[in-house]
mmCIF file with all atom_site columns, all heavy atoms in Angstrom:
data_model
loop_
_atom_site.group_PDB
_atom_site.id
_atom_site.type_symbol
_atom_site.label_atom_id
_atom_site.label_alt_id
_atom_site.label_comp_id
_atom_site.label_asym_id
_atom_site.label_entity_id
_atom_site.label_seq_id
_atom_site.pdbx_PDB_ins_code
_atom_site.Cartn_x
_atom_site.Cartn_y
_atom_site.Cartn_z
_atom_site.occupancy
_atom_site.B_iso_or_equiv
_atom_site.pdbx_formal_charge
_atom_site.auth_seq_id
_atom_site.auth_comp_id
_atom_site.auth_asym_id
_atom_site.auth_atom_id
_atom_site.pdbx_PDB_model_num
ATOM 1   N N   . ALA A 1 1  ? -195.223 -33.253 64.264 1.00 93.00 ? 1  ALA A N   1
ATOM 2   C CA  . ALA A 1 1  ? -196.316 -32.485 64.870 1.00 93.00 ? 1  ALA A CA  1
ATOM 3   C C   . ALA A 1 1  ? -195.689 -31.199 65.389 1.00 93.00 ? 1  ALA A C   1
ATOM 4   O O   . ALA A 1 1  ? -195.167 -31.157 66.494 1.00 93.00 ? 1  ALA A O   1
ATOM 5   C CB  . ALA A 1 1  ? -196.973 -33.268 65.996 1.00 93.00 ? 1  ALA A CB  1
ATOM 6   N N   . ASP A 1 2  ? -195.689 -30.165 64.553 1.00 90.00 ? 2  ASP A N   1
ATOM 7   C CA  . ASP A 1 2  ? -194.970 -28.949 64.934 1.00 90.00 ? 2  ASP A CA  1
ATOM 8   C C   . ASP A 1 2  ? -195.859 -27.732 65.192 1.00 90.00 ? 2  ASP A C   1
ATOM 9   O O   . ASP A 1 2  ? -195.352 -26.659 65.483 1.00 90.00 ? 2  ASP A O   1
ATOM 10  C CB  . ASP A 1 2  ? -193.912 -28.605 63.888 1.00 90.00 ? 2  ASP A CB  1
ATOM 11  C CG  . ASP A 1 2  ? -194.496 -28.206 62.551 1.00 90.00 ? 2  ASP A CG  1
ATOM 12  O OD1 . ASP A 1 2  ? -195.713 -28.369 62.343 1.00 90.00 ? 2  ASP A OD1 1
ATOM 13  O OD2 . ASP A 1 2  ? -193.733 -27.738 61.696 1.00 90.00 ? 2  ASP A OD2 1
ATOM 14  N N   . ARG A 1 3  ? -197.172 -27.916 65.086 1.00 94.00 ? 3  ARG A N   1
ATOM 15  C CA  . ARG A 1 3  ? -198.075 -26.791 65.323 1.00 94.00 ? 3  ARG A CA  1
ATOM 16  C C   . ARG A 1 3  ? -199.293 -27.257 66.094 1.00 94.00 ? 3  ARG A C   1
ATOM 17  O O   . ARG A 1 3  ? -199.762 -28.382 65.922 1.00 94.00 ? 3  ARG A O   1
ATOM 18  C CB  . ARG A 1 3  ? -198.534 -26.171 64.010 1.00 94.00 ? 3  ARG A CB  1
ATOM 19  C CG  . ARG A 1 3  ? -197.415 -25.490 63.291 1.00 94.00 ? 3  ARG A CG  1
ATOM 20  C CD  . ARG A 1 3  ? -197.951 -24.595 62.201 1.00 94.00 ? 3  ARG A CD  1
ATOM 21  N NE  . ARG A 1 3  ? -196.831 -23.851 61.647 1.00 94.00 ? 3  ARG A NE  1
ATOM 22  C CZ  . ARG A 1 3  ? -196.494 -23.849 60.377 1.00 94.00 ? 3  ARG A CZ  1
ATOM 23  N NH1 . ARG A 1 3  ? -197.206 -24.544 59.521 1.00 94.00 ? 3  ARG A NH1 1
ATOM 24  N NH2 . ARG A 1 3  ? -195.479 -23.151 59.957 1.00 94.00 ? 3  ARG A NH2 1
ATOM 25  N N   . THR A 1 4  ? -199.825 -26.368 66.899 1.00 95.00 ? 4  THR A N   1
ATOM 26  C CA  . THR A 1 4  ? -201.064 -26.624 67.630 1.00 95.00 ? 4  THR A CA  1
ATOM 27  C C   . THR A 1 4  ? -202.034 -25.508 67.300 1.00 95.00 ? 4  THR A C   1
ATOM 28  O O   . THR A 1 4  ? -201.657 -24.338 67.285 1.00 95.00 ? 4  THR A O   1
ATOM 29  C CB  . THR A 1 4  ? -200.800 -26.678 69.149 1.00 95.00 ? 4  THR A CB  1
ATOM 30  O OG1 . THR A 1 4  ? -199.845 -27.717 69.412 1.00 95.00 ? 4  THR A OG1 1
ATOM 31  C CG2 . THR A 1 4  ? -202.070 -26.973 69.919 1.00 95.00 ? 4  THR A CG2 1
ATOM 32  N N   . TYR A 1 5  ? -203.273 -25.893 67.017 1.00 95.00 ? 5  TYR A N   1
ATOM 33  C CA  . TYR A 1 5  ? -204.298 -24.926 66.645 1.00 95.00 ? 5  TYR A CA  1
ATOM 34  C C   . TYR A 1 5  ? -205.398 -24.925 67.703 1.00 95.00 ? 5  TYR A C   1
ATOM 35  O O   . TYR A 1 5  ? -205.787 -25.974 68.203 1.00 95.00 ? 5  TYR A O   1
ATOM 36  C CB  . TYR A 1 5  ? -204.916 -25.299 65.291 1.00 95.00 ? 5  TYR A CB  1
ATOM 37  C CG  . TYR A 1 5  ? -203.899 -25.367 64.188 1.00 95.00 ? 5  TYR A CG  1
ATOM 38  C CD1 . TYR A 1 5  ? -203.245 -26.549 63.887 1.00 95.00 ? 5  TYR A CD1 1
ATOM 39  C CD2 . TYR A 1 5  ? -203.576 -24.236 63.451 1.00 95.00 ? 5  TYR A CD2 1
ATOM 40  C CE1 . TYR A 1 5  ? -202.298 -26.611 62.877 1.00 95.00 ? 5  TYR A CE1 1
ATOM 41  C CE2 . TYR A 1 5  ? -202.624 -24.290 62.441 1.00 95.00 ? 5  TYR A CE2 1
ATOM 42  C CZ  . TYR A 1 5  ? -201.995 -25.480 62.163 1.00 95.00 ? 5  TYR A CZ  1
ATOM 43  O OH  . TYR A 1 5  ? -201.052 -25.537 61.161 1.00 95.00 ? 5  TYR A OH  1
ATOM 44  N N   . GLY A 1 6  ? -205.901 -23.745 68.015 1.00 95.00 ? 6  GLY A N   1
ATOM 45  C CA  . GLY A 1 6  ? -207.011 -23.626 68.948 1.00 95.00 ? 6  GLY A CA  1
ATOM 46  C C   . GLY A 1 6  ? -208.305 -23.374 68.199 1.00 95.00 ? 6  GLY A C   1
ATOM 47  O O   . GLY A 1 6  ? -208.308 -22.740 67.146 1.00 95.00 ? 6  GLY A O   1
ATOM 48  N N   . MET A 1 7  ? -209.412 -23.904 68.743 1.00 96.00 ? 7  MET A N   1
ATOM 49  C CA  . MET A 1 7  ? -210.712 -23.650 68.124 1.00 96.00 ? 7  MET A CA  1
ATOM 50  C C   . MET A 1 7  ? -211.816 -23.708 69.175 1.00 96.00 ? 7  MET A C   1
ATOM 51  O O   . MET A 1 7  ? -211.671 -24.377 70.201 1.00 96.00 ? 7  MET A O   1
ATOM 52  C CB  . MET A 1 7  ? -210.990 -24.617 66.977 1.00 96.00 ? 7  MET A CB  1
ATOM 53  C CG  . MET A 1 7  ? -211.171 -26.060 67.370 1.00 96.00 ? 7  MET A CG  1
ATOM 54  S SD  . MET A 1 7  ? -211.441 -27.145 65.942 1.00 96.00 ? 7  MET A SD  1
ATOM 55  C CE  . MET A 1 7  ? -209.762 -27.585 65.554 1.00 96.00 ? 7  MET A CE  1
ATOM 56  N N   . THR A 1 8  ? -212.870 -22.981 68.882 1.00 95.00 ? 8  THR A N   1
ATOM 57  C CA  . THR A 1 8  ? -214.038 -23.003 69.750 1.00 95.00 ? 8  THR A CA  1
ATOM 58  C C   . THR A 1 8  ? -214.848 -24.264 69.472 1.00 95.00 ? 8  THR A C   1
ATOM 59  O O   . THR A 1 8  ? -214.677 -24.900 68.429 1.00 95.00 ? 8  THR A O   1
ATOM 60  C CB  . THR A 1 8  ? -214.925 -21.781 69.484 1.00 95.00 ? 8  THR A CB  1
ATOM 61  O OG1 . THR A 1 8  ? -215.438 -21.872 68.153 1.00 95.00 ? 8  THR A OG1 1
ATOM 62  C CG2 . THR A 1 8  ? -214.167 -20.475 69.678 1.00 95.00 ? 8  THR A CG2 1
ATOM 63  N N   . PRO A 1 9  ? -215.751 -24.627 70.389 1.00 93.00 ? 9  PRO A N   1
ATOM 64  C CA  . PRO A 1 9  ? -216.616 -25.774 70.121 1.00 93.00 ? 9  PRO A CA  1
ATOM 65  C C   . PRO A 1 9  ? -217.428 -25.601 68.835 1.00 93.00 ? 9  PRO A C   1
ATOM 66  O O   . PRO A 1 9  ? -217.630 -26.568 68.099 1.00 93.00 ? 9  PRO A O   1
ATOM 67  C CB  . PRO A 1 9  ? -217.529 -25.826 71.347 1.00 93.00 ? 9  PRO A CB  1
ATOM 68  C CG  . PRO A 1 9  ? -216.690 -25.243 72.443 1.00 93.00 ? 9  PRO A CG  1
ATOM 69  C CD  . PRO A 1 9  ? -215.911 -24.138 71.771 1.00 93.00 ? 9  PRO A CD  1
ATOM 70  N N   . ALA A 1 10 ? -217.868 -24.387 68.529 1.00 96.00 ? 10 ALA A N   1
ATOM 71  C CA  . ALA A 1 10 ? -218.642 -24.161 67.303 1.00 96.00 ? 10 ALA A CA  1
ATOM 72  C C   . ALA A 1 10 ? -217.798 -24.447 66.070 1.00 96.00 ? 10 ALA A C   1
ATOM 73  O O   . ALA A 1 10 ? -218.268 -25.079 65.115 1.00 96.00 ? 10 ALA A O   1
ATOM 74  C CB  . ALA A 1 10 ? -219.166 -22.729 67.270 1.00 96.00 ? 10 ALA A CB  1
ATOM 75  N N   . VAL A 1 11 ? -216.563 -24.007 66.060 1.00 96.00 ? 11 VAL A N   1
ATOM 76  C CA  . VAL A 1 11 ? -215.671 -24.262 64.927 1.00 96.00 ? 11 VAL A CA  1
ATOM 77  C C   . VAL A 1 11 ? -215.385 -25.763 64.831 1.00 96.00 ? 11 VAL A C   1
ATOM 78  O O   . VAL A 1 11 ? -215.363 -26.328 63.737 1.00 96.00 ? 11 VAL A O   1
ATOM 79  C CB  . VAL A 1 11 ? -214.371 -23.440 65.042 1.00 96.00 ? 11 VAL A CB  1
ATOM 80  C CG1 . VAL A 1 11 ? -213.345 -23.873 64.021 1.00 96.00 ? 11 VAL A CG1 1
ATOM 81  C CG2 . VAL A 1 11 ? -214.677 -21.952 64.892 1.00 96.00 ? 11 VAL A CG2 1
ATOM 82  N N   . ALA A 1 12 ? -215.178 -26.429 65.965 1.00 94.00 ? 12 ALA A N   1
ATOM 83  C CA  . ALA A 1 12 ? -214.920 -27.869 65.962 1.00 94.00 ? 12 ALA A CA  1
ATOM 84  C C   . ALA A 1 12 ? -216.116 -28.632 65.383 1.00 94.00 ? 12 ALA A C   1
ATOM 85  O O   . ALA A 1 12 ? -215.942 -29.551 64.585 1.00 94.00 ? 12 ALA A O   1
ATOM 86  C CB  . ALA A 1 12 ? -214.614 -28.355 67.379 1.00 94.00 ? 12 ALA A CB  1
ATOM 87  N N   . ARG A 1 13 ? -217.339 -28.246 65.760 1.00 96.00 ? 13 ARG A N   1
ATOM 88  C CA  . ARG A 1 13 ? -218.539 -28.894 65.211 1.00 96.00 ? 13 ARG A CA  1
ATOM 89  C C   . ARG A 1 13 ? -218.641 -28.675 63.710 1.00 96.00 ? 13 ARG A C   1
ATOM 90  O O   . ARG A 1 13 ? -218.921 -29.601 62.947 1.00 96.00 ? 13 ARG A O   1
ATOM 91  C CB  . ARG A 1 13 ? -219.801 -28.368 65.901 1.00 96.00 ? 13 ARG A CB  1
ATOM 92  C CG  . ARG A 1 13 ? -220.114 -29.047 67.208 1.00 96.00 ? 13 ARG A CG  1
ATOM 93  C CD  . ARG A 1 13 ? -221.510 -28.698 67.694 1.00 96.00 ? 13 ARG A CD  1
ATOM 94  N NE  . ARG A 1 13 ? -221.703 -27.260 67.866 1.00 96.00 ? 13 ARG A NE  1
ATOM 95  C CZ  . ARG A 1 13 ? -221.329 -26.572 68.939 1.00 96.00 ? 13 ARG A CZ  1
ATOM 96  N NH1 . ARG A 1 13 ? -220.736 -27.193 69.932 1.00 96.00 ? 13 ARG A NH1 1
ATOM 97  N NH2 . ARG A 1 13 ? -221.541 -25.287 69.015 1.00 96.00 ? 13 ARG A NH2 1
ATOM 98  N N   . GLU A 1 14 ? -218.405 -27.438 63.271 1.00 97.00 ? 14 GLU A N   1
ATOM 99  C CA  . GLU A 1 14 ? -218.483 -27.134 61.848 1.00 97.00 ? 14 GLU A CA  1
ATOM 100 C C   . GLU A 1 14 ? -217.437 -27.931 61.063 1.00 97.00 ? 14 GLU A C   1
ATOM 101 O O   . GLU A 1 14 ? -217.731 -28.504 60.007 1.00 97.00 ? 14 GLU A O   1
ATOM 102 C CB  . GLU A 1 14 ? -218.286 -25.642 61.605 1.00 97.00 ? 14 GLU A CB  1
ATOM 103 C CG  . GLU A 1 14 ? -218.392 -25.252 60.160 1.00 97.00 ? 14 GLU A CG  1
ATOM 104 C CD  . GLU A 1 14 ? -218.177 -23.762 59.917 1.00 97.00 ? 14 GLU A CD  1
ATOM 105 O OE1 . GLU A 1 14 ? -218.043 -22.992 60.878 1.00 97.00 ? 14 GLU A OE1 1
ATOM 106 O OE2 . GLU A 1 14 ? -218.130 -23.381 58.738 1.00 97.00 ? 14 GLU A OE2 1
ATOM 107 N N   . LEU A 1 15 ? -216.221 -27.976 61.572 1.00 95.00 ? 15 LEU A N   1
ATOM 108 C CA  . LEU A 1 15 ? -215.167 -28.745 60.918 1.00 95.00 ? 15 LEU A CA  1
ATOM 109 C C   . LEU A 1 15 ? -215.550 -30.221 60.841 1.00 95.00 ? 15 LEU A C   1
ATOM 110 O O   . LEU A 1 15 ? -215.415 -30.856 59.791 1.00 95.00 ? 15 LEU A O   1
ATOM 111 C CB  . LEU A 1 15 ? -213.844 -28.574 61.669 1.00 95.00 ? 15 LEU A CB  1
ATOM 112 C CG  . LEU A 1 15 ? -212.663 -29.388 61.164 1.00 95.00 ? 15 LEU A CG  1
ATOM 113 C CD1 . LEU A 1 15 ? -212.323 -29.015 59.721 1.00 95.00 ? 15 LEU A CD1 1
ATOM 114 C CD2 . LEU A 1 15 ? -211.463 -29.187 62.074 1.00 95.00 ? 15 LEU A CD2 1
ATOM 115 N N   . GLY A 1 16 ? -216.041 -30.774 61.943 1.00 94.00 ? 16 GLY A N   1
ATOM 116 C CA  . GLY A 1 16 ? -216.451 -32.175 61.958 1.00 94.00 ? 16 GLY A CA  1
ATOM 117 C C   . GLY A 1 16 ? -217.548 -32.467 60.954 1.00 94.00 ? 16 GLY A C   1
ATOM 118 O O   . GLY A 1 16 ? -217.498 -33.456 60.223 1.00 94.00 ? 16 GLY A O   1
ATOM 119 N N   . GLU A 1 17 ? -218.558 -31.591 60.886 1.00 97.00 ? 17 GLU A N   1
ATOM 120 C CA  . GLU A 1 17 ? -219.650 -31.771 59.939 1.00 97.00 ? 17 GLU A CA  1
ATOM 121 C C   . GLU A 1 17 ? -219.151 -31.717 58.495 1.00 97.00 ? 17 GLU A C   1
ATOM 122 O O   . GLU A 1 17 ? -219.554 -32.527 57.657 1.00 97.00 ? 17 GLU A O   1
ATOM 123 C CB  . GLU A 1 17 ? -220.723 -30.710 60.173 1.00 97.00 ? 17 GLU A CB  1
ATOM 124 C CG  . GLU A 1 17 ? -221.479 -30.918 61.476 1.00 97.00 ? 17 GLU A CG  1
ATOM 125 C CD  . GLU A 1 17 ? -222.325 -29.710 61.875 1.00 97.00 ? 17 GLU A CD  1
ATOM 126 O OE1 . GLU A 1 17 ? -222.365 -28.708 61.125 1.00 97.00 ? 17 GLU A OE1 1
ATOM 127 O OE2 . GLU A 1 17 ? -222.934 -29.769 62.960 1.00 97.00 ? 17 GLU A OE2 1
ATOM 128 N N   . LYS A 1 18 ? -218.270 -30.772 58.202 1.00 97.00 ? 18 LYS A N   1
ATOM 129 C CA  . LYS A 1 18 ? -217.755 -30.641 56.834 1.00 97.00 ? 18 LYS A CA  1
ATOM 130 C C   . LYS A 1 18 ? -216.859 -31.823 56.461 1.00 97.00 ? 18 LYS A C   1
ATOM 131 O O   . LYS A 1 18 ? -216.904 -32.302 55.326 1.00 97.00 ? 18 LYS A O   1
ATOM 132 C CB  . LYS A 1 18 ? -217.023 -29.317 56.666 1.00 97.00 ? 18 LYS A CB  1
ATOM 133 C CG  . LYS A 1 18 ? -217.994 -28.153 56.644 1.00 97.00 ? 18 LYS A CG  1
ATOM 134 C CD  . LYS A 1 18 ? -217.324 -26.846 56.366 1.00 97.00 ? 18 LYS A CD  1
ATOM 135 C CE  . LYS A 1 18 ? -218.392 -25.756 56.310 1.00 97.00 ? 18 LYS A CE  1
ATOM 136 N NZ  . LYS A 1 18 ? -217.904 -24.512 55.784 1.00 97.00 ? 18 LYS A NZ  1
ATOM 137 N N   . LEU A 1 19 ? -216.048 -32.296 57.395 1.00 94.00 ? 19 LEU A N   1
ATOM 138 C CA  . LEU A 1 19 ? -215.216 -33.471 57.120 1.00 94.00 ? 19 LEU A CA  1
ATOM 139 C C   . LEU A 1 19 ? -216.081 -34.699 56.841 1.00 94.00 ? 19 LEU A C   1
ATOM 140 O O   . LEU A 1 19 ? -215.816 -35.455 55.900 1.00 94.00 ? 19 LEU A O   1
ATOM 141 C CB  . LEU A 1 19 ? -214.266 -33.741 58.288 1.00 94.00 ? 19 LEU A CB  1
ATOM 142 C CG  . LEU A 1 19 ? -213.087 -32.792 58.434 1.00 94.00 ? 19 LEU A CG  1
ATOM 143 C CD1 . LEU A 1 19 ? -212.377 -33.025 59.767 1.00 94.00 ? 19 LEU A CD1 1
ATOM 144 C CD2 . LEU A 1 19 ? -212.121 -32.957 57.284 1.00 94.00 ? 19 LEU A CD2 1
ATOM 145 N N   . LEU A 1 20 ? -217.123 -34.907 57.656 1.00 96.00 ? 20 LEU A N   1
ATOM 146 C CA  . LEU A 1 20 ? -218.018 -36.041 57.433 1.00 96.00 ? 20 LEU A CA  1
ATOM 147 C C   . LEU A 1 20 ? -218.725 -35.937 56.089 1.00 96.00 ? 20 LEU A C   1
ATOM 148 O O   . LEU A 1 20 ? -218.852 -36.931 55.366 1.00 96.00 ? 20 LEU A O   1
ATOM 149 C CB  . LEU A 1 20 ? -219.045 -36.138 58.562 1.00 96.00 ? 20 LEU A CB  1
ATOM 150 C CG  . LEU A 1 20 ? -218.539 -36.725 59.867 1.00 96.00 ? 20 LEU A CG  1
ATOM 151 C CD1 . LEU A 1 20 ? -219.610 -36.596 60.948 1.00 96.00 ? 20 LEU A CD1 1
ATOM 152 C CD2 . LEU A 1 20 ? -218.145 -38.171 59.683 1.00 96.00 ? 20 LEU A CD2 1
ATOM 153 N N   . ALA A 1 21 ? -219.186 -34.745 55.734 1.00 96.00 ? 21 ALA A N   1
ATOM 154 C CA  . ALA A 1 21 ? -219.871 -34.566 54.460 1.00 96.00 ? 21 ALA A CA  1
ATOM 155 C C   . ALA A 1 21 ? -218.939 -34.874 53.290 1.00 96.00 ? 21 ALA A C   1
ATOM 156 O O   . ALA A 1 21 ? -219.335 -35.547 52.332 1.00 96.00 ? 21 ALA A O   1
ATOM 157 C CB  . ALA A 1 21 ? -220.413 -33.139 54.349 1.00 96.00 ? 21 ALA A CB  1
ATOM 158 N N   . GLN A 1 22 ? -217.698 -34.409 53.368 1.00 94.00 ? 22 GLN A N   1
ATOM 159 C CA  . GLN A 1 22 ? -216.746 -34.671 52.286 1.00 94.00 ? 22 GLN A CA  1
ATOM 160 C C   . GLN A 1 22 ? -216.380 -36.149 52.222 1.00 94.00 ? 22 GLN A C   1
ATOM 161 O O   . GLN A 1 22 ? -216.245 -36.713 51.132 1.00 94.00 ? 22 GLN A O   1
ATOM 162 C CB  . GLN A 1 22 ? -215.487 -33.817 52.458 1.00 94.00 ? 22 GLN A CB  1
ATOM 163 C CG  . GLN A 1 22 ? -215.713 -32.361 52.163 1.00 94.00 ? 22 GLN A CG  1
ATOM 164 C CD  . GLN A 1 22 ? -216.130 -32.131 50.725 1.00 94.00 ? 22 GLN A CD  1
ATOM 165 O OE1 . GLN A 1 22 ? -215.508 -32.615 49.783 1.00 94.00 ? 22 GLN A OE1 1
ATOM 166 N NE2 . GLN A 1 22 ? -217.220 -31.404 50.533 1.00 94.00 ? 22 GLN A NE2 1
ATOM 167 N N   . ALA A 1 23 ? -216.225 -36.797 53.385 1.00 93.00 ? 23 ALA A N   1
ATOM 168 C CA  . ALA A 1 23 ? -215.919 -38.230 53.403 1.00 93.00 ? 23 ALA A CA  1
ATOM 169 C C   . ALA A 1 23 ? -217.055 -39.021 52.764 1.00 93.00 ? 23 ALA A C   1
ATOM 170 O O   . ALA A 1 23 ? -216.817 -39.939 51.972 1.00 93.00 ? 23 ALA A O   1
ATOM 171 C CB  . ALA A 1 23 ? -215.667 -38.705 54.833 1.00 93.00 ? 23 ALA A CB  1
ATOM 172 N N   . ARG A 1 24 ? -218.307 -38.663 53.082 1.00 93.00 ? 24 ARG A N   1
ATOM 173 C CA  . ARG A 1 24 ? -219.462 -39.355 52.488 1.00 93.00 ? 24 ARG A CA  1
ATOM 174 C C   . ARG A 1 24 ? -219.502 -39.143 50.978 1.00 93.00 ? 24 ARG A C   1
ATOM 175 O O   . ARG A 1 24 ? -219.818 -40.068 50.227 1.00 93.00 ? 24 ARG A O   1
ATOM 176 C CB  . ARG A 1 24 ? -220.744 -38.879 53.145 1.00 93.00 ? 24 ARG A CB  1
ATOM 177 C CG  . ARG A 1 24 ? -220.893 -39.379 54.558 1.00 93.00 ? 24 ARG A CG  1
ATOM 178 C CD  . ARG A 1 24 ? -222.200 -38.936 55.172 1.00 93.00 ? 24 ARG A CD  1
ATOM 179 N NE  . ARG A 1 24 ? -222.268 -39.384 56.545 1.00 93.00 ? 24 ARG A NE  1
ATOM 180 C CZ  . ARG A 1 24 ? -222.427 -38.586 57.597 1.00 93.00 ? 24 ARG A CZ  1
ATOM 181 N NH1 . ARG A 1 24 ? -222.567 -37.290 57.434 1.00 93.00 ? 24 ARG A NH1 1
ATOM 182 N NH2 . ARG A 1 24 ? -222.472 -39.075 58.811 1.00 93.00 ? 24 ARG A NH2 1
ATOM 183 N N   . LEU A 1 25 ? -219.196 -37.939 50.527 1.00 92.00 ? 25 LEU A N   1
ATOM 184 C CA  . LEU A 1 25 ? -219.186 -37.649 49.101 1.00 92.00 ? 25 LEU A CA  1
ATOM 185 C C   . LEU A 1 25 ? -218.133 -38.486 48.389 1.00 92.00 ? 25 LEU A C   1
ATOM 186 O O   . LEU A 1 25 ? -218.397 -39.106 47.355 1.00 92.00 ? 25 LEU A O   1
ATOM 187 C CB  . LEU A 1 25 ? -218.926 -36.161 48.863 1.00 92.00 ? 25 LEU A CB  1
ATOM 188 C CG  . LEU A 1 25 ? -218.838 -35.708 47.408 1.00 92.00 ? 25 LEU A CG  1
ATOM 189 C CD1 . LEU A 1 25 ? -220.164 -35.935 46.699 1.00 92.00 ? 25 LEU A CD1 1
ATOM 190 C CD2 . LEU A 1 25 ? -218.431 -34.259 47.328 1.00 92.00 ? 25 LEU A CD2 1
ATOM 191 N N   . ILE A 1 26 ? -216.930 -38.534 48.942 1.00 90.00 ? 26 ILE A N   1
ATOM 192 C CA  . ILE A 1 26 ? -215.851 -39.330 48.350 1.00 90.00 ? 26 ILE A CA  1
ATOM 193 C C   . ILE A 1 26 ? -216.234 -40.802 48.309 1.00 90.00 ? 26 ILE A C   1
ATOM 194 O O   . ILE A 1 26 ? -216.019 -41.483 47.306 1.00 90.00 ? 26 ILE A O   1
ATOM 195 C CB  . ILE A 1 26 ? -214.534 -39.122 49.136 1.00 90.00 ? 26 ILE A CB  1
ATOM 196 C CG1 . ILE A 1 26 ? -214.021 -37.702 48.897 1.00 90.00 ? 26 ILE A CG1 1
ATOM 197 C CG2 . ILE A 1 26 ? -213.493 -40.158 48.754 1.00 90.00 ? 26 ILE A CG2 1
ATOM 198 C CD1 . ILE A 1 26 ? -212.907 -37.294 49.845 1.00 90.00 ? 26 ILE A CD1 1
#
């Protein structure tokens, strides 16, 4: 674990939604 990334709540929501959509597709 060598990097830390910052994100806004909006980016976190978008990332979560896209990850869930891709997981459902797979």
Side-chain angles (χ1 to χ4, degrees):
D2 67 350
R3 292 195 174 124
T4 301
Y5 302 91
M7 67 182 90
T8 65
V11 170
R13 277 192 302 278
E14 182 181 355
L15 176 61
E17 290 167 2
K18 288 185 178 192
L19 286 170
L20 283 173
Q22 288 298 310
R24 289 182 183 122
L25 178 63
I26 290 168

